[in-house]
Amino acid sequence: MGNQVEKLTHLSYKEVPTADPMGVDRDDGPRIGVSYIFSNDDEDVEPQPPPQGLDGGGGCLPDGGDGPALPPPQPYDPRLHEVECSVFYRDECIYQKSFAPGSAALSTYTPENLLNKCRPGDLVEFVSQAQYPHWAVYVGNFQVVHLHRLEVSNSFLTDASQGRRGRVVNDLYRYKPLSPSAVVRNALAQVGAKERELSWRNSESFAAWCRYGKREFKIGGELRIGKQPYRLQIQLSAQRSHTLEFQSLEDLIMEKRRNDQIGRAAVLQELATHLHPAEPDEGDGDAARTTPPLGRPPASGREEEDPEAVVH
């Protein structure tokens, strides 16, 4: 169950917390942030229930009776199921997922076709409706290294996909990447690490750390009490957005991944139901920023936590 604080004392890496090297804090004052601690769950891909009463098969009625055939489930479409968002560290955009023309391509491919697009050191994301996205580092020879079921494993890309479609996502984070050989070394050096040896909460944080080498992706990489320098801007429409603030990048990634898992429609409904933001009409062209003092309130079904998450 989420939000259980258990033994958050594990810091296995040899790095100091993020801090201003000049010792100067430029924030104006303390603000209360949010922090999510998640339970250990296996990351097996479970069969998803048929959407809206469908049987998920050939269009027959659930009880096998007579009647008009129902349409098959809608295929995965990033524009329908994923949430457009940006991540800011203070005023700097460090991550962006956008469907606008000219933005990074978010088209997905079968695992077999994806292999033709991968180069060693690439970040790969596997996606599927109603599931958490799964990230991996392509290390060559048809293989990836990824955090899976509380262990860093070396697997064939087709096996790691577990039937999901995937894409190369080198351009989502805007940090300067390490050299491809350094990315591969980072990934391979962690193979076999498991459970309390891990310094990452999920596959995205692990893969991003391998490529960018920033301690912010690690558990406890930032100890910033009373400060919220990270902002998650969720795009509601072409003219409207909603912003949440976080103390650390790892907290923000956990919330972003939850949004990806529940899907765009559920995120928009959750915001409308729980936050009641005083937003302008779409024609006004102004973005609404309505950040509650304690971060995002719990949503219905919140107990279904990220199966890759780690509690220390």
Side-chain angles (χ1 to χ4, degrees):
M1 185 70 185
N3 298 330
Q4 294 176 341
V5 181
E6 300 181 26
K7 302 180 181 177
L8 190 60
T9 59
H10 176 68
L11 295 175
S12 63
Y13 50 94
K14 299 177 182 179
E15 296 170 334
V16 297
T18 299
D20 190 326
M22 302 302 294
V24 178
D25 193 339
R26 291 184 292 273
D27 287 345
D28 294 329
R31 291 176 294 177
I32 300 175
V34 296
S35 180
Y36 303 124
I37 310 300
F38 292 81
S39 61
N40 293 338
D41 291 312
D42 286 346
E43 198 224 350
D44 290 331
V45 177
E46 299 292 344
Q48 298 299 313
Q52 300 183 16
L54 301 180
D55 67 346
C60 299
L61 292 176
D63 59 0
D66 296 332
L70 296 175
Q74 191 174 33
Y76 182 82
D77 184 346
R79 293 178 180 272
L80 293 178
H81 303 307
E82 298 186 25
V83 180
E84 290 185 88
C85 64
S86 299
V87 176
F88 294 86
Y89 177 73
R90 294 196 169 100
D91 295 326
E92 178 186 5
C93 182
I94 60 173
Y95 172 102
Q96 186 173 42
K97 178 191 284 189
S98 172
F99 299 114
S103 60
L106 293 176
S107 299
T108 60
Y109 305 90
T110 64
E112 293 76 14
N113 289 334
L114 182 61
L115 277 171
N116 297 325
K117 300 179 179 295
C118 290
R119 299 292 181 270
D122 283 349
L123 298 189
V124 175
E125 180 184 36
F126 300 111
V127 291
S128 181
Q129 186 177 358
Q131 295 177 12
Y132 289 96
H134 187 71
W135 287 49
V137 180
Y138 185 73
V139 295
N141 297 322
F142 313 110
Q143 298 182 59
V144 296
V145 172
H146 58 135
L147 177 58
H148 173 63
R149 296 185 64 179
L150 301 183
E151 181 176 359
V152 178
S153 304
N154 191 350
S155 310
F156 285 107
L157 183 148
T158 50
D159 293 336
S161 72
Q162 295 191 344
R164 291 168 284 191
R165 296 176 66 86
R167 59 195 173 208
V168 176
V169 288
N170 293 337
D171 296 328
L172 290 183
Y173 282 99
R174 295 186 172 183
Y175 294 124
K176 182 180 179 180
L178 304 174
S179 67
S181 59
V183 177
V184 172
R185 282 198 305 271
N186 282 343
L188 292 175
Q190 299 299 324
V191 171
K194 62 177 63 176
E195 299 179 348
R196 294 188 178 275
E197 299 171 350
L198 298 173
S199 296
W200 306 271
R201 291 186 186 276
N202 52 68
S203 62
E204 178 176 339
S205 293
F206 169 72
W209 174 83
C210 290
R211 182 169 174 84
Y212 304 106
K214 301 184 79 65
R215 63 177 176 267
E216 286 86 346
F217 291 108
K218 288 187 169 184
I219 296 173
E222 298 171 285
L223 301 179
R224 303 183 63 90
I225 300 175
K227 304 180 187 342
Q228 295 174 298
Y230 290 95
R231 291 183 288 123
L232 174 62
Q233 186 179 79
I234 301 170
Q235 202 67 33
L236 305 178
S237 68
Q239 293 82 27
R240 299 162 60 201
S241 63
H242 177 78
T243 300
L244 298 170
E245 296 183 342
F246 296 84
Q247 287 181 312
S248 68
L249 182 58
E250 61 166 331
D251 284 341
L252 185 149
I253 288 174
M254 296 298 287
E255 180 67 7
K256 178 174 69 67
R257 289 172 58 77
R258 188 188 73 91
N259 290 344
D260 288 337
Q261 188 270 332
I262 66 175
R264 172 180 168 79
V267 170
L268 298 183
Q269 180 61 42
E270 184 178 282
L271 289 172
T273 301
H274 294 285
L275 297 179
H276 303 291
E279 295 166 340
D281 293 334
E282 291 200 21
D284 291 348
D286 295 326
R289 180 177 177 180
T290 54
T291 304
L294 294 179
R296 192 172 194 158
S300 58
R302 188 61 179 259
E303 63 274 8
E304 183 182 355
E305 304 296 1
D306 187 339
E308 295 172 342
V310 180
V311 169
H312 289 276

PDB file of all heavy atoms in Angstrom, residues 53-62 65 67-73:
ATOM      1  N   GLY A  53     -16.934  -3.839 -20.086  1.00  0.00           N
ATOM      2  CA  GLY A  53     -17.802  -5.002 -20.220  1.00  0.00           C
ATOM      3  C   GLY A  53     -17.546  -5.856 -21.435  1.00  0.00           C
ATOM      4  O   GLY A  53     -18.239  -6.822 -21.671  1.00  0.00           O
ATOM      5  N   LEU A  54     -16.528  -5.498 -22.254  1.00  0.00           N
ATOM      6  CA  LEU A  54     -16.265  -6.317 -23.428  1.00  0.00           C
ATOM      7  C   LEU A  54     -15.539  -7.586 -23.027  1.00  0.00           C
ATOM      8  O   LEU A  54     -14.859  -7.643 -22.026  1.00  0.00           O
ATOM      9  CB  LEU A  54     -15.422  -5.523 -24.439  1.00  0.00           C
ATOM     10  CG  LEU A  54     -16.053  -4.214 -24.943  1.00  0.00           C
ATOM     11  CD1 LEU A  54     -15.102  -3.553 -25.925  1.00  0.00           C
ATOM     12  CD2 LEU A  54     -17.391  -4.471 -25.610  1.00  0.00           C
ATOM     13  N   ASP A  55     -15.656  -8.577 -23.889  1.00  0.00           N
ATOM     14  CA  ASP A  55     -14.967  -9.822 -23.587  1.00  0.00           C
ATOM     15  C   ASP A  55     -13.543  -9.812 -24.103  1.00  0.00           C
ATOM     16  O   ASP A  55     -12.773 -10.704 -23.794  1.00  0.00           O
ATOM     17  CB  ASP A  55     -15.730 -11.027 -24.180  1.00  0.00           C
ATOM     18  CG  ASP A  55     -15.723 -11.016 -25.701  1.00  0.00           C
ATOM     19  OD1 ASP A  55     -15.383  -9.971 -26.288  1.00  0.00           O
ATOM     20  OD2 ASP A  55     -16.059 -12.057 -26.296  1.00  0.00           O
ATOM     21  N   GLY A  56     -13.162  -8.792 -24.871  1.00  0.00           N
ATOM     22  CA  GLY A  56     -11.804  -8.679 -25.366  1.00  0.00           C
ATOM     23  C   GLY A  56     -11.487  -9.659 -26.470  1.00  0.00           C
ATOM     24  O   GLY A  56     -10.367  -9.745 -26.925  1.00  0.00           O
ATOM     25  N   GLY A  57     -12.479 -10.399 -26.940  1.00  0.00           N
ATOM     26  CA  GLY A  57     -12.234 -11.382 -27.977  1.00  0.00           C
ATOM     27  C   GLY A  57     -12.840 -10.969 -29.293  1.00  0.00           C
ATOM     28  O   GLY A  57     -12.633  -9.874 -29.786  1.00  0.00           O
ATOM     29  N   GLY A  58     -13.666 -11.854 -29.847  1.00  0.00           N
ATOM     30  CA  GLY A  58     -14.191 -11.631 -31.179  1.00  0.00           C
ATOM     31  C   GLY A  58     -15.434 -10.794 -31.233  1.00  0.00           C
ATOM     32  O   GLY A  58     -16.134 -10.798 -32.246  1.00  0.00           O
ATOM     33  N   GLY A  59     -15.814 -10.127 -30.155  1.00  0.00           N
ATOM     34  CA  GLY A  59     -16.939  -9.223 -30.193  1.00  0.00           C
ATOM     35  C   GLY A  59     -18.232  -9.845 -29.723  1.00  0.00           C
ATOM     36  O   GLY A  59     -19.301  -9.294 -29.946  1.00  0.00           O
ATOM     37  N   CYS A  60     -18.231 -11.021 -29.102  1.00  0.00           N
ATOM     38  CA  CYS A  60     -19.442 -11.655 -28.609  1.00  0.00           C
ATOM     39  C   CYS A  60     -19.860 -11.029 -27.299  1.00  0.00           C
ATOM     40  O   CYS A  60     -19.065 -10.418 -26.599  1.00  0.00           O
ATOM     41  CB  CYS A  60     -19.213 -13.154 -28.410  1.00  0.00           C
ATOM     42  SG  CYS A  60     -18.757 -14.025 -29.933  1.00  0.00           S
ATOM     43  N   LEU A  61     -21.116 -11.221 -26.945  1.00  0.00           N
ATOM     44  CA  LEU A  61     -21.598 -10.752 -25.672  1.00  0.00           C
ATOM     45  C   LEU A  61     -20.956 -11.553 -24.555  1.00  0.00           C
ATOM     46  O   LEU A  61     -20.661 -12.739 -24.718  1.00  0.00           O
ATOM     47  CB  LEU A  61     -23.126 -10.883 -25.602  1.00  0.00           C
ATOM     48  CG  LEU A  61     -23.905  -9.955 -26.541  1.00  0.00           C
ATOM     49  CD1 LEU A  61     -25.383 -10.255 -26.449  1.00  0.00           C
ATOM     50  CD2 LEU A  61     -23.620  -8.509 -26.231  1.00  0.00           C
ATOM     51  N   PRO A  62     -20.758 -10.951 -23.339  1.00  0.00           N
ATOM     52  CA  PRO A  62     -20.080 -11.661 -22.252  1.00  0.00           C
ATOM     53  C   PRO A  62     -20.749 -12.963 -21.864  1.00  0.00           C
ATOM     54  O   PRO A  62     -20.083 -13.919 -21.491  1.00  0.00           O
ATOM     55  CB  PRO A  62     -20.101 -10.628 -21.113  1.00  0.00           C
ATOM     56  CG  PRO A  62     -20.209  -9.301 -21.792  1.00  0.00           C
ATOM     57  CD  PRO A  62     -21.020  -9.547 -23.026  1.00  0.00           C
ATOM     58  N   GLY A  65     -24.828 -14.907 -25.138  1.00  0.00           N
ATOM     59  CA  GLY A  65     -26.183 -14.895 -25.668  1.00  0.00           C
ATOM     60  C   GLY A  65     -26.266 -14.229 -27.015  1.00  0.00           C
ATOM     61  O   GLY A  65     -25.290 -13.750 -27.585  1.00  0.00           O
ATOM     62  N   GLY A  67     -27.470 -11.387 -29.756  1.00  0.00           N
ATOM     63  CA  GLY A  67     -27.516  -9.929 -29.733  1.00  0.00           C
ATOM     64  C   GLY A  67     -26.450  -9.368 -30.637  1.00  0.00           C
ATOM     65  O   GLY A  67     -25.617 -10.103 -31.166  1.00  0.00           O
ATOM     66  N   PRO A  68     -26.452  -8.056 -30.826  1.00  0.00           N
ATOM     67  CA  PRO A  68     -25.454  -7.436 -31.699  1.00  0.00           C
ATOM     68  C   PRO A  68     -24.048  -7.583 -31.122  1.00  0.00           C
ATOM     69  O   PRO A  68     -23.837  -7.465 -29.917  1.00  0.00           O
ATOM     70  CB  PRO A  68     -25.893  -5.959 -31.742  1.00  0.00           C
ATOM     71  CG  PRO A  68     -26.680  -5.771 -30.481  1.00  0.00           C
ATOM     72  CD  PRO A  68     -27.370  -7.072 -30.228  1.00  0.00           C
ATOM     73  N   ALA A  69     -23.105  -7.866 -31.988  1.00  0.00           N
ATOM     74  CA  ALA A  69     -21.724  -8.027 -31.552  1.00  0.00           C
ATOM     75  C   ALA A  69     -21.151  -6.689 -31.128  1.00  0.00           C
ATOM     76  O   ALA A  69     -21.386  -5.663 -31.771  1.00  0.00           O
ATOM     77  CB  ALA A  69     -20.892  -8.631 -32.678  1.00  0.00           C
ATOM     78  N   LEU A  70     -20.407  -6.700 -30.031  1.00  0.00           N
ATOM     79  CA  LEU A  70     -19.777  -5.480 -29.549  1.00  0.00           C
ATOM     80  C   LEU A  70     -18.451  -5.273 -30.273  1.00  0.00           C
ATOM     81  O   LEU A  70     -17.791  -6.241 -30.672  1.00  0.00           O
ATOM     82  CB  LEU A  70     -19.529  -5.586 -28.042  1.00  0.00           C
ATOM     83  CG  LEU A  70     -20.790  -5.702 -27.183  1.00  0.00           C
ATOM     84  CD1 LEU A  70     -20.409  -5.924 -25.737  1.00  0.00           C
ATOM     85  CD2 LEU A  70     -21.655  -4.456 -27.319  1.00  0.00           C
ATOM     86  N   PRO A  71     -18.024  -4.023 -30.430  1.00  0.00           N
ATOM     87  CA  PRO A  71     -16.757  -3.771 -31.134  1.00  0.00           C
ATOM     88  C   PRO A  71     -15.580  -4.283 -30.326  1.00  0.00           C
ATOM     89  O   PRO A  71     -15.636  -4.368 -29.100  1.00  0.00           O
ATOM     90  CB  PRO A  71     -16.723  -2.235 -31.249  1.00  0.00           C
ATOM     91  CG  PRO A  71     -17.596  -1.751 -30.131  1.00  0.00           C
ATOM     92  CD  PRO A  71     -18.671  -2.783 -29.999  1.00  0.00           C
ATOM     93  N   PRO A  72     -14.477  -4.659 -30.990  1.00  0.00           N
ATOM     94  CA  PRO A  72     -13.293  -5.138 -30.268  1.00  0.00           C
ATOM     95  C   PRO A  72     -12.660  -3.995 -29.492  1.00  0.00           C
ATOM     96  O   PRO A  72     -12.911  -2.820 -29.758  1.00  0.00           O
ATOM     97  CB  PRO A  72     -12.374  -5.634 -31.393  1.00  0.00           C
ATOM     98  CG  PRO A  72     -12.783  -4.826 -32.588  1.00  0.00           C
ATOM     99  CD  PRO A  72     -14.270  -4.635 -32.444  1.00  0.00           C
ATOM    100  N   PRO A  73     -11.799  -4.299 -28.510  1.00  0.00           N
ATOM    101  CA  PRO A  73     -11.136  -3.247 -27.744  1.00  0.00           C
ATOM    102  C   PRO A  73     -10.313  -2.342 -28.657  1.00  0.00           C
ATOM    103  O   PRO A  73      -9.761  -2.778 -29.666  1.00  0.00           O
ATOM    104  CB  PRO A  73     -10.219  -4.025 -26.778  1.00  0.00           C
ATOM    105  CG  PRO A  73     -10.813  -5.402 -26.720  1.00  0.00           C
ATOM    106  CD  PRO A  73     -11.440  -5.648 -28.048  1.00  0.00           C
TER     107      PRO A  73
END
